[in-house]
Amino acid sequence: MAWHLSVQVDRDSSVPLTTQLQNAIKSRVEDRVLHPGARLPSSRQLAQDLGLSRSVVVEAYEQLIAEGYLEAVRGSGTRVAGKLPEPAGETSLLDERPATGARWDLRVGIANLANFPRQEWLNSYTKVLQSVGREGMDYPPVSGIAELRNELAGYLGRVRSVRTEPAQVMVTAGFAQGLALLSDSLQRLGIHELAIEEPGHNGQRRFILDTGITPVPVPVDEEGLDVGALHRSGARAVLVTPAHQFPTGVMLSPERRRQLLAWARERDGWIIEDDYDGEFWFDQLARPAALQEDDPDRVVYAGTTSKVLVPGLRLGWLAIPPKLYPLMERVRSRQDQGSDTLTQLAFAELMRSGLLDRHLRRVRSRYRSRREALAAAVRESLPEARLSGCAAGLHSYALLPPGTDEAAVVHGALRRSVLVRGGGQFRFSGPAGPPALLLGYGSLPLTGISDAIAAIGSSYEEARRP
Ligand SMILES: Cc1ncc(COP(=O)(O)O)c(C=O)c1O
């Protein structure tokens, strides 16, 4: 294969050609222009492309191999070395990283690959590719293609009782982009503080801070957000997870719902409803409708495929109050030129054909079994813990008896090869909360649950021993 490499050398320079070539490749590797594993042209090919003698390239390659920048792979030429230092910094909205070699990973936000409906996605994508015309290949409308917005408006009404029209729906790259757009729009309206739930999502709090708006933590109790404290905070906008509070799992009580909506009217404020796992509900009772249903003029509803399918799709949506929509569309059009059309069409097809509903029914039942297995394992191996909140979503929050050394339980679990987060990871600056563990079961195999909880149980026993 004639791989191409874009580098230049200066024949008039006093620096030897081999050194120039070596430095050019080295700096591209260091700057991560050339990525680990990237293939380079053969020395013969590169010499020809640059009009150099082959020995110049061979020497440069050999030196870079000796320094560990490149590696020669027998039968497939020269590549950038696979192991280079990781770049610093945290860019993801979610602070979760891929598994670290622990036997069981109970962190949230880890994609469950086994549940992704590969065949259905492939069928939908293929169908789109076979029929798509010019309109599907040109720039899409910035807020999303009509097919998907139509499907979403219908789906959200049917599944989550959201009251919206296709014209009020905006397709985004996950909730992360939705949140960035909201932050920008609110600031243009003169709102510079956004109330957030405490405990809450620390990665999200940092993300909000980076968007330029100030996150103001407001406590959550057994009934959800403390609306009295929200009043006292002075904020005019709030981000909430009313269906299944992250991380405690509590549902916003009917009384608090009423109070929150009254707050928005009184304050002329905005509510952002992050319905990140709203499709997964395992109680016998009907799932409460989205908060947005009760005031579509004040509540921005946000959904995502990150739990329903996988986070890697980067696909989410907002149902936006009519008064806010034009501003958000303007903000969006300065940020990008819309979302990938083919992915939007494929997802619309997945919804239209009923395959998404079928997939949801299937995974809902798998997650319900995991949730039940987890509750049983906690009763068995961690009997002093209490699972807070409702049976929903892909995680549970286990409250440990007061006085438990949460950090010792987390470390002991890790020594037993179980990766789990303590409740302290989800607190910001407020008072230390009760000791707790966040137990994510979305990516655990059913058979691993009792093993993982048993390991946490013995770590808990060890931590409680005088
Ligand atoms: C609280 C919360 N909100 C939102 C999201 C989704 O964000 P995104 O759609 O950007 O993946 C997640 C993770 O899936 C989450 O845990």
mmCIF file of all heavy atoms in Angstrom, residues 239-285:
data_model
loop_
_atom_site.group_PDB
_atom_site.id
_atom_site.type_symbol
_atom_site.label_atom_id
_atom_site.label_comp_id
_atom_site.label_asym_id
_atom_site.label_seq_id
_atom_site.Cartn_x
_atom_site.Cartn_y
_atom_site.Cartn_z
ATOM 1 N N LEU A 239 -30.577 23.109 36.621
ATOM 2 C CA LEU A 239 -30.435 21.844 35.896
ATOM 3 C C LEU A 239 -30.827 20.720 36.850
ATOM 4 O O LEU A 239 -30.226 20.584 37.922
ATOM 5 C CB LEU A 239 -28.967 21.681 35.459
ATOM 6 C CG LEU A 239 -28.531 20.323 34.916
ATOM 7 C CD1 LEU A 239 -29.320 19.939 33.664
ATOM 8 C CD2 LEU A 239 -27.032 20.338 34.588
ATOM 9 N N VAL A 240 -31.833 19.932 36.466
ATOM 10 C CA VAL A 240 -32.301 18.861 37.363
ATOM 11 C C VAL A 240 -32.429 17.526 36.630
ATOM 12 O O VAL A 240 -32.591 17.478 35.412
ATOM 13 C CB VAL A 240 -33.695 19.170 37.982
ATOM 14 C CG1 VAL A 240 -33.574 20.066 39.188
ATOM 15 C CG2 VAL A 240 -34.662 19.732 36.963
ATOM 16 N N THR A 241 -32.380 16.443 37.423
ATOM 17 C CA THR A 241 -32.611 15.089 36.908
ATOM 18 C C THR A 241 -33.837 14.532 37.655
ATOM 19 O O THR A 241 -33.685 13.699 38.548
ATOM 20 C CB THR A 241 -31.362 14.203 37.137
ATOM 21 O OG1 THR A 241 -30.923 14.368 38.506
ATOM 22 C CG2 THR A 241 -30.224 14.572 36.223
ATOM 23 N N PRO A 242 -35.043 15.020 37.322
ATOM 24 C CA PRO A 242 -36.216 14.731 38.170
ATOM 25 C C PRO A 242 -36.666 13.272 38.158
ATOM 26 O O PRO A 242 -37.204 12.788 39.157
ATOM 27 C CB PRO A 242 -37.317 15.625 37.582
ATOM 28 C CG PRO A 242 -36.837 16.075 36.260
ATOM 29 C CD PRO A 242 -35.357 15.914 36.209
ATOM 30 N N ALA A 243 -36.449 12.552 37.069
ATOM 31 C CA ALA A 243 -36.973 11.189 36.982
ATOM 32 C C ALA A 243 -36.154 10.215 37.821
ATOM 33 O O ALA A 243 -36.691 9.251 38.375
ATOM 34 C CB ALA A 243 -36.990 10.733 35.527
ATOM 35 N N HIS A 244 -34.851 10.470 37.915
ATOM 36 C CA HIS A 244 -33.950 9.530 38.584
ATOM 37 C C HIS A 244 -32.696 10.325 38.917
ATOM 38 O O HIS A 244 -31.748 10.347 38.133
ATOM 39 C CB HIS A 244 -33.634 8.366 37.620
ATOM 40 C CG HIS A 244 -32.898 7.233 38.247
ATOM 41 N ND1 HIS A 244 -31.797 6.657 37.657
ATOM 42 C CD2 HIS A 244 -33.104 6.563 39.398
ATOM 43 C CE1 HIS A 244 -31.352 5.678 38.421
ATOM 44 N NE2 HIS A 244 -32.133 5.605 39.477
ATOM 45 N N GLN A 245 -32.754 11.000 40.070
ATOM 46 C CA GLN A 245 -31.699 11.961 40.385
ATOM 47 C C GLN A 245 -30.321 11.305 40.297
ATOM 48 O O GLN A 245 -30.128 10.192 40.795
ATOM 49 C CB GLN A 245 -31.939 12.542 41.792
ATOM 50 C CG GLN A 245 -31.250 13.894 42.024
ATOM 51 C CD GLN A 245 -29.821 13.760 42.530
ATOM 52 O OE1 GLN A 245 -29.494 12.797 43.219
ATOM 53 N NE2 GLN A 245 -28.957 14.711 42.203
ATOM 54 N N PHE A 246 -29.390 12.037 39.662
ATOM 55 C CA PHE A 246 -28.035 11.518 39.586
ATOM 56 C C PHE A 246 -27.197 12.152 40.688
ATOM 57 O O PHE A 246 -27.084 13.365 40.739
ATOM 58 C CB PHE A 246 -27.395 11.834 38.227
ATOM 59 C CG PHE A 246 -26.070 11.157 38.086
ATOM 60 C CD1 PHE A 246 -25.990 9.873 37.576
ATOM 61 C CD2 PHE A 246 -24.905 11.766 38.541
ATOM 62 C CE1 PHE A 246 -24.762 9.221 37.497
ATOM 63 C CE2 PHE A 246 -23.694 11.116 38.477
ATOM 64 C CZ PHE A 246 -23.626 9.842 37.943
ATOM 65 N N PRO A 247 -26.626 11.376 41.626
ATOM 66 C CA PRO A 247 -26.524 9.924 41.651
ATOM 67 C C PRO A 247 -27.512 9.216 42.592
ATOM 68 O O PRO A 247 -27.572 8.000 42.575
ATOM 69 C CB PRO A 247 -25.110 9.726 42.199
ATOM 70 C CG PRO A 247 -24.951 10.849 43.196
ATOM 71 C CD PRO A 247 -25.724 12.006 42.617
ATOM 72 N N THR A 248 -28.270 9.938 43.431
ATOM 73 C CA THR A 248 -28.989 9.261 44.528
ATOM 74 C C THR A 248 -30.144 8.385 44.056
ATOM 75 O O THR A 248 -30.645 7.556 44.821
ATOM 76 C CB THR A 248 -29.564 10.285 45.531
ATOM 77 O OG1 THR A 248 -30.537 11.078 44.836
ATOM 78 C CG2 THR A 248 -28.499 11.185 46.121
ATOM 79 N N GLY A 249 -30.622 8.612 42.829
ATOM 80 C CA GLY A 249 -31.706 7.775 42.301
ATOM 81 C C GLY A 249 -33.092 8.188 42.774
ATOM 82 O O GLY A 249 -34.077 7.573 42.381
ATOM 83 N N VAL A 250 -33.193 9.252 43.603
ATOM 84 C CA VAL A 250 -34.532 9.617 44.084
ATOM 85 C C VAL A 250 -35.314 10.304 42.968
ATOM 86 O O VAL A 250 -34.736 10.892 42.057
ATOM 87 C CB VAL A 250 -34.509 10.520 45.345
ATOM 88 C CG1 VAL A 250 -33.774 9.857 46.494
ATOM 89 C CG2 VAL A 250 -33.922 11.889 45.046
ATOM 90 N N MET A 251 -36.632 10.201 43.083
ATOM 91 C CA MET A 251 -37.503 10.825 42.094
ATOM 92 C C MET A 251 -38.029 12.118 42.716
ATOM 93 O O MET A 251 -38.323 12.150 43.914
ATOM 94 C CB MET A 251 -38.656 9.868 41.834
ATOM 95 C CG MET A 251 -39.454 10.183 40.632
ATOM 96 S SD MET A 251 -40.787 8.977 40.556
ATOM 97 C CE MET A 251 -41.829 9.552 41.875
ATOM 98 N N LEU A 252 -38.125 13.151 41.927
ATOM 99 C CA LEU A 252 -38.674 14.409 42.446
ATOM 100 C C LEU A 252 -40.116 14.145 42.870
ATOM 101 O O LEU A 252 -40.931 13.687 42.055
ATOM 102 C CB LEU A 252 -38.615 15.473 41.345
ATOM 103 C CG LEU A 252 -38.814 16.919 41.770
ATOM 104 C CD1 LEU A 252 -37.682 17.396 42.672
ATOM 105 C CD2 LEU A 252 -38.911 17.830 40.541
ATOM 106 N N SER A 253 -40.435 14.438 44.145
ATOM 107 C CA SER A 253 -41.777 14.103 44.647
ATOM 108 C C SER A 253 -42.814 15.026 43.985
ATOM 109 O O SER A 253 -42.481 16.112 43.512
ATOM 110 C CB SER A 253 -41.823 14.286 46.165
ATOM 111 O OG SER A 253 -41.799 15.671 46.471
ATOM 112 N N PRO A 254 -44.093 14.594 43.951
ATOM 113 C CA PRO A 254 -45.124 15.436 43.329
ATOM 114 C C PRO A 254 -45.171 16.836 43.933
ATOM 115 O O PRO A 254 -45.308 17.825 43.213
ATOM 116 C CB PRO A 254 -46.418 14.666 43.606
ATOM 117 C CG PRO A 254 -45.977 13.247 43.782
ATOM 118 C CD PRO A 254 -44.616 13.295 44.395
ATOM 119 N N GLU A 255 -44.993 16.931 45.254
ATOM 120 C CA GLU A 255 -45.035 18.246 45.901
ATOM 121 C C GLU A 255 -43.868 19.127 45.430
ATOM 122 O O GLU A 255 -44.042 20.305 45.102
ATOM 123 C CB GLU A 255 -45.002 18.043 47.434
ATOM 124 C CG GLU A 255 -45.009 19.315 48.255
ATOM 125 C CD GLU A 255 -46.146 20.280 47.887
ATOM 126 O OE1 GLU A 255 -47.193 19.820 47.380
ATOM 127 O OE2 GLU A 255 -45.965 21.511 48.083
ATOM 128 N N ARG A 256 -42.669 18.505 45.347
ATOM 129 C CA ARG A 256 -41.501 19.282 44.898
ATOM 130 C C ARG A 256 -41.644 19.684 43.422
ATOM 131 O O ARG A 256 -41.177 20.736 43.020
ATOM 132 C CB ARG A 256 -40.221 18.464 45.072
ATOM 133 C CG ARG A 256 -39.829 18.237 46.511
ATOM 134 C CD ARG A 256 -39.158 19.476 47.121
ATOM 135 N NE ARG A 256 -38.964 19.275 48.538
ATOM 136 C CZ ARG A 256 -37.903 18.669 49.071
ATOM 137 N NH1 ARG A 256 -36.939 18.201 48.302
ATOM 138 N NH2 ARG A 256 -37.808 18.527 50.369
ATOM 139 N N ARG A 257 -42.266 18.812 42.640
ATOM 140 C CA ARG A 257 -42.514 19.155 41.233
ATOM 141 C C ARG A 257 -43.321 20.439 41.146
ATOM 142 O O ARG A 257 -42.976 21.359 40.401
ATOM 143 C CB ARG A 257 -43.335 18.043 40.562
ATOM 144 C CG ARG A 257 -42.567 17.034 39.777
ATOM 145 C CD ARG A 257 -43.516 15.928 39.357
ATOM 146 N NE ARG A 257 -44.005 16.129 38.007
ATOM 147 C CZ ARG A 257 -43.525 15.499 36.936
ATOM 148 N NH1 ARG A 257 -42.557 14.627 37.059
ATOM 149 N NH2 ARG A 257 -44.018 15.718 35.748
ATOM 150 N N ARG A 258 -44.403 20.454 41.941
ATOM 151 C CA ARG A 258 -45.272 21.651 41.944
ATOM 152 C C ARG A 258 -44.465 22.881 42.378
ATOM 153 O O ARG A 258 -44.546 23.930 41.759
ATOM 154 C CB ARG A 258 -46.452 21.440 42.901
ATOM 155 C CG ARG A 258 -47.629 20.724 42.249
ATOM 156 C CD ARG A 258 -48.888 20.805 43.099
ATOM 157 N NE ARG A 258 -48.772 20.038 44.337
ATOM 158 C CZ ARG A 258 -48.968 18.711 44.406
ATOM 159 N NH1 ARG A 258 -49.316 18.034 43.322
ATOM 160 N NH2 ARG A 258 -48.824 18.073 45.562
ATOM 161 N N GLN A 259 -43.665 22.690 43.440
ATOM 162 C CA GLN A 259 -42.881 23.832 43.949
ATOM 163 C C GLN A 259 -41.878 24.329 42.898
ATOM 164 O O GLN A 259 -41.684 25.530 42.731
ATOM 165 C CB GLN A 259 -42.100 23.419 45.200
ATOM 166 C CG GLN A 259 -42.957 23.169 46.416
ATOM 167 C CD GLN A 259 -42.106 22.672 47.598
ATOM 168 O OE1 GLN A 259 -40.876 22.597 47.519
ATOM 169 N NE2 GLN A 259 -42.764 22.311 48.688
ATOM 170 N N LEU A 260 -41.260 23.375 42.208
ATOM 171 C CA LEU A 260 -40.229 23.754 41.229
ATOM 172 C C LEU A 260 -40.845 24.536 40.071
ATOM 173 O O LEU A 260 -40.307 25.559 39.627
ATOM 174 C CB LEU A 260 -39.512 22.492 40.726
ATOM 175 C CG LEU A 260 -38.353 22.710 39.767
ATOM 176 C CD1 LEU A 260 -37.265 23.610 40.374
ATOM 177 C CD2 LEU A 260 -37.722 21.380 39.345
ATOM 178 N N LEU A 261 -42.001 24.056 39.590
ATOM 179 C CA LEU A 261 -42.660 24.748 38.479
ATOM 180 C C LEU A 261 -43.135 26.137 38.930
ATOM 181 O O LEU A 261 -43.041 27.109 38.175
ATOM 182 C CB LEU A 261 -43.820 23.899 37.945
ATOM 183 C CG LEU A 261 -43.352 22.597 37.268
ATOM 184 C CD1 LEU A 261 -44.501 21.600 37.124
ATOM 185 C CD2 LEU A 261 -42.723 22.879 35.906
ATOM 186 N N ALA A 262 -43.608 26.224 40.192
ATOM 187 C CA ALA A 262 -44.048 27.526 40.720
ATOM 188 C C ALA A 262 -42.845 28.468 40.827
ATOM 189 O O ALA A 262 -42.934 29.656 40.513
ATOM 190 C CB ALA A 262 -44.718 27.334 42.081
ATOM 191 N N TRP A 263 -41.700 27.907 41.251
ATOM 192 C CA TRP A 263 -40.470 28.718 41.333
ATOM 193 C C TRP A 263 -40.151 29.333 39.960
ATOM 194 O O TRP A 263 -39.822 30.523 39.860
ATOM 195 C CB TRP A 263 -39.303 27.838 41.803
ATOM 196 C CG TRP A 263 -37.951 28.453 41.587
ATOM 197 C CD1 TRP A 263 -37.288 29.306 42.412
ATOM 198 C CD2 TRP A 263 -37.109 28.292 40.426
ATOM 199 N NE1 TRP A 263 -36.088 29.685 41.857
ATOM 200 C CE2 TRP A 263 -35.961 29.086 40.637
ATOM 201 C CE3 TRP A 263 -37.217 27.581 39.233
ATOM 202 C CZ2 TRP A 263 -34.923 29.158 39.706
ATOM 203 C CZ3 TRP A 263 -36.192 27.650 38.302
ATOM 204 C CH2 TRP A 263 -35.051 28.426 38.541
ATOM 205 N N ALA A 264 -40.234 28.502 38.903
ATOM 206 C CA ALA A 264 -39.874 28.986 37.561
ATOM 207 C C ALA A 264 -40.793 30.136 37.140
ATOM 208 O O ALA A 264 -40.342 31.121 36.564
ATOM 209 C CB ALA A 264 -39.944 27.832 36.559
ATOM 210 N N ARG A 265 -42.078 29.997 37.449
ATOM 211 C CA ARG A 265 -43.023 31.066 37.066
ATOM 212 C C ARG A 265 -42.727 32.346 37.857
ATOM 213 O O ARG A 265 -42.637 33.424 37.293
ATOM 214 C CB ARG A 265 -44.462 30.604 37.305
ATOM 215 C CG ARG A 265 -44.971 29.636 36.222
ATOM 216 C CD ARG A 265 -46.461 29.420 36.333
ATOM 217 N NE ARG A 265 -46.826 28.758 37.578
ATOM 218 C CZ ARG A 265 -46.833 27.428 37.750
ATOM 219 N NH1 ARG A 265 -46.506 26.627 36.748
ATOM 220 N NH2 ARG A 265 -47.166 26.901 38.908
ATOM 221 N N GLU A 266 -42.516 32.160 39.163
ATOM 222 C CA GLU A 266 -42.269 33.321 40.028
ATOM 223 C C GLU A 266 -41.000 34.060 39.663
ATOM 224 O O GLU A 266 -40.940 35.274 39.659
ATOM 225 C CB GLU A 266 -42.096 32.800 41.463
ATOM 226 C CG GLU A 266 -43.065 33.372 42.461
ATOM 227 C CD GLU A 266 -42.903 32.616 43.763
ATOM 228 O OE1 GLU A 266 -41.926 32.892 44.481
ATOM 229 O OE2 GLU A 266 -43.740 31.719 44.035
ATOM 230 N N ARG A 267 -39.938 33.269 39.361
ATOM 231 C CA ARG A 267 -38.610 33.853 39.115
ATOM 232 C C ARG A 267 -38.423 34.253 37.660
ATOM 233 O O ARG A 267 -37.367 34.744 37.292
ATOM 234 C CB ARG A 267 -37.514 32.815 39.444
ATOM 235 C CG ARG A 267 -37.231 32.608 40.878
ATOM 236 C CD ARG A 267 -36.547 33.803 41.507
ATOM 237 N NE ARG A 267 -35.147 33.951 41.132
ATOM 238 C CZ ARG A 267 -34.530 35.110 40.926
ATOM 239 N NH1 ARG A 267 -35.196 36.232 41.001
ATOM 240 N NH2 ARG A 267 -33.254 35.167 40.627
ATOM 241 N N ASP A 268 -39.441 33.940 36.816
ATOM 242 C CA ASP A 268 -39.259 34.068 35.375
ATOM 243 C C ASP A 268 -37.996 33.279 34.979
ATOM 244 O O ASP A 268 -37.112 33.769 34.289
ATOM 245 C CB ASP A 268 -39.133 35.549 34.987
ATOM 246 C CG ASP A 268 -39.130 35.731 33.476
ATOM 247 O OD1 ASP A 268 -39.606 34.813 32.772
ATOM 248 O OD2 ASP A 268 -38.630 36.766 32.999
ATOM 249 N N GLY A 269 -37.954 32.044 35.504
ATOM 250 C CA GLY A 269 -36.729 31.246 35.366
ATOM 251 C C GLY A 269 -36.874 30.110 34.360
ATOM 252 O O GLY A 269 -37.927 29.912 33.748
ATOM 253 N N TRP A 270 -35.778 29.379 34.196
ATOM 254 C CA TRP A 270 -35.728 28.259 33.251
ATOM 255 C C TRP A 270 -35.326 26.986 33.972
ATOM 256 O O TRP A 270 -34.454 27.006 34.833
ATOM 257 C CB TRP A 270 -34.701 28.539 32.152
ATOM 258 C CG TRP A 270 -35.028 29.757 31.347
ATOM 259 C CD1 TRP A 270 -34.459 30.989 31.474
ATOM 260 C CD2 TRP A 270 -36.007 29.861 30.312
ATOM 261 N NE1 TRP A 270 -35.023 31.866 30.576
ATOM 262 C CE2 TRP A 270 -35.972 31.200 29.842
ATOM 263 C CE3 TRP A 270 -36.914 28.971 29.725
ATOM 264 C CZ2 TRP A 270 -36.802 31.667 28.828
ATOM 265 C CZ3 TRP A 270 -37.735 29.435 28.714
ATOM 266 C CH2 TRP A 270 -37.679 30.754 28.270
ATOM 267 N N ILE A 271 -35.971 25.889 33.583
ATOM 268 C CA ILE A 271 -35.610 24.583 34.144
ATOM 269 C C ILE A 271 -35.046 23.729 33.007
ATOM 270 O O ILE A 271 -35.663 23.633 31.938
ATOM 271 C CB ILE A 271 -36.853 23.873 34.732
ATOM 272 C CG1 ILE A 271 -37.476 24.728 35.857
ATOM 273 C CG2 ILE A 271 -36.495 22.479 35.245
ATOM 274 C CD1 ILE A 271 -38.821 24.208 36.349
ATOM 275 N N ILE A 272 -33.890 23.132 33.236
ATOM 276 C CA ILE A 272 -33.344 22.173 32.257
ATOM 277 C C ILE A 272 -33.553 20.788 32.849
ATOM 278 O O ILE A 272 -33.041 20.479 33.937
ATOM 279 C CB ILE A 272 -31.842 22.424 32.000
ATOM 280 C CG1 ILE A 272 -31.614 23.872 31.536
ATOM 281 C CG2 ILE A 272 -31.311 21.427 30.974
ATOM 282 C CD1 ILE A 272 -30.140 24.276 31.513
ATOM 283 N N GLU A 273 -34.312 19.971 32.146
ATOM 284 C CA GLU A 273 -34.626 18.620 32.629
ATOM 285 C C GLU A 273 -33.718 17.621 31.920
ATOM 286 O O GLU A 273 -33.891 17.351 30.732
ATOM 287 C CB GLU A 273 -36.101 18.302 32.331
ATOM 288 C CG GLU A 273 -36.481 16.876 32.682
ATOM 289 C CD GLU A 273 -37.988 16.628 32.548
ATOM 290 O OE1 GLU A 273 -38.665 17.375 31.808
ATOM 291 O OE2 GLU A 273 -38.459 15.667 33.188
ATOM 292 N N ASP A 274 -32.749 17.090 32.641
ATOM 293 C CA ASP A 274 -31.810 16.121 32.064
ATOM 294 C C ASP A 274 -32.403 14.722 32.280
ATOM 295 O O ASP A 274 -32.305 14.158 33.362
ATOM 296 C CB ASP A 274 -30.450 16.288 32.778
ATOM 297 C CG ASP A 274 -29.416 15.258 32.334
ATOM 298 O OD1 ASP A 274 -29.699 14.499 31.396
ATOM 299 O OD2 ASP A 274 -28.323 15.217 32.944
ATOM 300 N N ASP A 275 -33.022 14.201 31.220
ATOM 301 C CA ASP A 275 -33.709 12.899 31.334
ATOM 302 C C ASP A 275 -32.798 11.820 30.757
ATOM 303 O O ASP A 275 -33.143 11.132 29.807
ATOM 304 C CB ASP A 275 -35.028 12.968 30.554
ATOM 305 C CG ASP A 275 -35.996 11.857 30.943
ATOM 306 O OD1 ASP A 275 -35.990 11.440 32.107
ATOM 307 O OD2 ASP A 275 -36.755 11.410 30.067
ATOM 308 N N TYR A 276 -31.610 11.677 31.380
ATOM 309 C CA TYR A 276 -30.537 10.871 30.782
ATOM 310 C C TYR A 276 -30.847 9.383 30.722
ATOM 311 O O TYR A 276 -30.316 8.669 29.882
ATOM 312 C CB TYR A 276 -29.221 11.101 31.543
ATOM 313 C CG TYR A 276 -29.300 10.684 32.990
ATOM 314 C CD1 TYR A 276 -28.688 9.516 33.438
ATOM 315 C CD2 TYR A 276 -30.019 11.425 33.899
ATOM 316 C CE1 TYR A 276 -28.782 9.119 34.755
ATOM 317 C CE2 TYR A 276 -30.132 11.036 35.222
ATOM 318 C CZ TYR A 276 -29.514 9.878 35.633
ATOM 319 O OH TYR A 276 -29.637 9.476 36.938
ATOM 320 N N ASP A 277 -31.711 8.876 31.646
ATOM 321 C CA ASP A 277 -32.023 7.435 31.583
ATOM 322 C C ASP A 277 -33.530 7.191 31.711
ATOM 323 O O ASP A 277 -33.957 6.164 32.228
ATOM 324 C CB ASP A 277 -31.222 6.647 32.639
ATOM 325 C CG ASP A 277 -31.584 7.033 34.074
ATOM 326 O OD1 ASP A 277 -32.512 7.835 34.265
ATOM 327 O OD2 ASP A 277 -30.933 6.519 35.006
ATOM 328 N N GLY A 278 -34.302 8.153 31.188
ATOM 329 C CA GLY A 278 -35.757 8.132 31.366
ATOM 330 C C GLY A 278 -36.457 6.920 30.766
ATOM 331 O O GLY A 278 -37.599 6.622 31.128
ATOM 332 N N GLU A 279 -35.803 6.218 29.866
ATOM 333 C CA GLU A 279 -36.459 5.064 29.221
ATOM 334 C C GLU A 279 -36.430 3.824 30.103
ATOM 335 O O GLU A 279 -37.104 2.840 29.816
ATOM 336 C CB GLU A 279 -35.774 4.723 27.892
ATOM 337 C CG GLU A 279 -36.128 5.644 26.733
ATOM 338 C CD GLU A 279 -35.264 6.899 26.684
ATOM 339 O OE1 GLU A 279 -34.463 7.121 27.621
ATOM 340 O OE2 GLU A 279 -35.391 7.657 25.723
ATOM 341 N N PHE A 280 -35.606 3.871 31.164
ATOM 342 C CA PHE A 280 -35.443 2.655 31.969
ATOM 343 C C PHE A 280 -36.115 2.808 33.319
ATOM 344 O O PHE A 280 -35.653 3.534 34.193
ATOM 345 C CB PHE A 280 -33.952 2.317 32.121
ATOM 346 C CG PHE A 280 -33.296 2.057 30.794
ATOM 347 C CD1 PHE A 280 -32.263 2.837 30.339
ATOM 348 C CD2 PHE A 280 -33.762 1.036 29.972
ATOM 349 C CE1 PHE A 280 -31.685 2.605 29.100
ATOM 350 C CE2 PHE A 280 -33.198 0.797 28.725
ATOM 351 C CZ PHE A 280 -32.155 1.585 28.294
ATOM 352 N N TRP A 281 -37.212 2.102 33.465
ATOM 353 C CA TRP A 281 -38.052 2.207 34.661
ATOM 354 C C TRP A 281 -38.531 0.812 34.974
ATOM 355 O O TRP A 281 -39.118 0.144 34.114
ATOM 356 C CB TRP A 281 -39.228 3.138 34.344
ATOM 357 C CG TRP A 281 -40.228 3.303 35.436
ATOM 358 C CD1 TRP A 281 -41.470 2.728 35.500
ATOM 359 C CD2 TRP A 281 -40.105 4.101 36.598
ATOM 360 N NE1 TRP A 281 -42.114 3.131 36.625
ATOM 361 C CE2 TRP A 281 -41.292 3.981 37.329
ATOM 362 C CE3 TRP A 281 -39.084 4.926 37.110
ATOM 363 C CZ2 TRP A 281 -41.503 4.632 38.531
ATOM 364 C CZ3 TRP A 281 -39.311 5.580 38.300
ATOM 365 C CH2 TRP A 281 -40.501 5.432 38.991
ATOM 366 N N PHE A 282 -38.289 0.335 36.199
ATOM 367 C CA PHE A 282 -38.564 -1.083 36.465
ATOM 368 C C PHE A 282 -39.651 -1.298 37.503
ATOM 369 O O PHE A 282 -39.929 -2.425 37.885
ATOM 370 C CB PHE A 282 -37.279 -1.793 36.917
ATOM 371 C CG PHE A 282 -36.084 -1.449 36.075
ATOM 372 C CD1 PHE A 282 -34.909 -0.980 36.639
ATOM 373 C CD2 PHE A 282 -36.138 -1.582 34.695
ATOM 374 C CE1 PHE A 282 -33.812 -0.646 35.860
ATOM 375 C CE2 PHE A 282 -35.048 -1.260 33.902
ATOM 376 C CZ PHE A 282 -33.882 -0.791 34.487
ATOM 377 N N ASP A 283 -40.231 -0.216 38.042
ATOM 378 C CA ASP A 283 -41.295 -0.379 39.033
ATOM 379 C C ASP A 283 -42.583 -0.811 38.352
ATOM 380 O O ASP A 283 -42.782 -0.556 37.171
ATOM 381 C CB ASP A 283 -41.543 0.955 39.757
ATOM 382 C CG ASP A 283 -40.747 1.036 41.051
ATOM 383 O OD1 ASP A 283 -40.242 -0.020 41.471
ATOM 384 O OD2 ASP A 283 -40.632 2.131 41.611
ATOM 385 N N GLN A 284 -43.460 -1.418 39.129
ATOM 386 C CA GLN A 284 -44.763 -1.817 38.582
ATOM 387 C C GLN A 284 -45.582 -0.583 38.207
ATOM 388 O O GLN A 284 -46.286 -0.563 37.209
ATOM 389 C CB GLN A 284 -45.557 -2.635 39.628
ATOM 390 C CG GLN A 284 -44.911 -3.957 40.002
ATOM 391 C CD GLN A 284 -44.762 -4.878 38.806
ATOM 392 O OE1 GLN A 284 -45.470 -4.757 37.832
ATOM 393 N NE2 GLN A 284 -43.808 -5.786 38.861
ATOM 394 N N LEU A 285 -45.478 0.457 39.045
ATOM 395 C CA LEU A 285 -46.268 1.668 38.800
ATOM 396 C C LEU A 285 -45.798 2.369 37.534
ATOM 397 O O LEU A 285 -44.632 2.255 37.167
ATOM 398 C CB LEU A 285 -46.102 2.635 39.983
ATOM 399 C CG LEU A 285 -46.546 2.083 41.331
ATOM 400 C CD1 LEU A 285 -46.099 2.998 42.454
ATOM 401 C CD2 LEU A 285 -48.066 1.937 41.340
#
